[in-house]
Amino acid sequence: MDDQDIKTVRSPRAIERSLERLYEARGHLWLIPDDDPDFQGQVQVVGNESEARRLVLDCPDPVVLRHILHARQVRFQAVIDGLLNWFYSADLATREEGGDCYLSVGYPEVMQRLQRRAAFRIDLPPDVPGTLAFCPSPPRGVTSGDVVNLSATGCAVSVVGDKDPGLKPGDEVGAARLKVGEGIDVRLEFIVRNRRPGVGKSVVYGLEFAALPPRDSQLIDREVMRLQRLRLTRG
C-alpha cells in the first residue's frame, strides 16, 4: 500500500463522526494484535459513548479476547462509508452487564484511511453562484470566498486579499457553510490541502471536505453531474 494513498485524520470531531457512523450502521471492527498480525478477530459495534469518548464492542470469544488483552497494542480496522479506516490503541477495557461481556476502546487521537478515489470536479458556470462562508479556528471572524470548482469530496475557493485568513495546508476548519446555486446549502468541515495565487490580489484554497455525511456528499455529487450536463448542452 503506497503511503500517498493513506490519509491521516487528526481532527477529534472528524474521528468522532466517523465512529458515530460506524456505530449507527452497526458495523464491525477487525481486532488485530500489533505483535501478531496473522491473528484476527471480528466483533460488532454495539454502543457509542461520545461523552466518555469510548466505543463499545461485543466481546470476542475467550481465545481472541485473551490474545487482544495481552497485546502491546491492537489495530482496529473497519470499513466506514465505503473506505477502509484503522487506528491503533492499547486503551481497552472489559465490562459485564446482565451477564453479558463487552469490550470498550477509547477514541483514538489519530485515524488513518485509504484516500477516496478521485472524484469528478467541475468549474462552476458564471451564472451559478457559489460561496463558502467559514470561521477559522481559533475564531478570527467569519470570512467567505467564491467557489471556483466543486466535487463531492472538496472544492476550490477564491478569497480576495483583504479577506484572506492566511490558512496553511493541513489547517482544519470545523464550521463552514457551502451554498451553490439553488441546489446546495450544507454545513461542513474542511481541511486545507493547498494554497496558490489567484487572479489579481486573490488567493485560491484547495479544500477537502471532512466528515461530510453521505447524504450531503450525494447531494453535491448529483449537483456536480447536473452542472456537467448543463455545460454539455450549452456546448
Side-chain angles (χ1 to χ4, degrees):
M1 188 181 300
D2 195 325
D3 286 346
Q4 68 182 354
D5 295 328
I6 300 173
K7 175 185 174 183
T8 300
V9 181
R10 292 186 172 86
S11 165
R13 183 57 181 152
I15 291 172
E16 179 181 347
R17 286 186 174 179
S18 291
L19 296 179
E20 283 176 353
R21 291 201 296 277
L22 180 63
Y23 163 63
E24 290 167 358
R26 297 301 190 271
H28 289 77
L29 274 170
W30 283 99
L31 314 180
I32 307 170
D34 188 44
D35 54 359
D36 188 1
D38 293 328
F39 187 96
Q40 302 180 3
Q42 188 185 47
V43 294
Q44 186 173 22
V45 178
V46 296
N48 180 46
E49 301 172 342
S50 57
E51 291 187 1
R53 298 189 67 78
R54 299 193 72 84
L55 206 59
V56 182
L57 318 174
D58 258 340
C59 207
D61 69 58
V63 174
V64 174
L65 179 61
R66 183 168 61 250
H67 211 72
I68 293 299
L69 294 178
H70 283 84
R72 183 177 62 86
Q73 66 175 359
V74 178
R75 172 174 168 141
F76 293 83
Q77 182 171 294
V79 175
I80 305 173
D81 296 337
L83 300 173
L84 183 64
N85 292 252
W86 65 93
F87 63 89
Y88 294 88
S89 179
D91 182 11
L92 307 177
T94 58
R95 68 175 69 161
E96 289 192 11
E97 296 179 8
D100 294 321
C101 173
Y102 298 97
L103 180 68
S104 75
V105 55
Y107 286 5
E109 295 183 0
V110 175
M111 282 184 67
Q112 293 178 305
R113 74 179 183 211
L114 290 184
Q115 290 278 32
R116 291 179 183 269
R117 290 172 292 184
F120 184 78
R121 185 177 296 265
I122 187 171
D123 293 334
L124 291 193
D127 58 342
V128 177
T131 59
L132 182 75
F134 56 95
C135 183
S137 179
R140 291 174 243 169
V142 177
T143 189
S144 64
D146 296 323
V147 177
V148 177
N149 59 47
L150 179 69
S151 78
T153 59
C155 66
V157 175
S158 175
V159 181
V160 178
D162 59 356
K163 292 184 179 180
D164 180 14
L167 298 175
K168 303 182 296 299
D171 283 351
E172 301 175 0
V173 173
R177 184 175 185 180
L178 174 69
K179 300 180 71 173
V180 177
E182 298 180 355
I184 298 174
D185 185 353
V186 298
R187 299 183 185 277
L188 50 80
E189 304 171 17
F190 64 77
I191 301 170
V192 179
R193 288 305 176 198
N194 56 71
R195 169 192 166 105
R196 61 185 185 274
V199 177
K201 296 182 179 180
S202 67
V203 173
V204 176
Y205 287 101
L207 310 177
E208 178 184 354
F209 302 144
L212 187 65
R215 181 181 61 182
D216 290 341
S217 179
Q218 292 166 8
L219 171 67
I220 295 173
D221 197 36
R222 287 196 298 268
E223 184 66 9
V224 168
M225 293 299 105
R226 188 189 72 80
L227 293 173
Q228 172 66 0
R229 289 194 298 270
L230 180 62
R231 187 172 72 175
L232 292 175
T233 58
R234 290 176 174 177

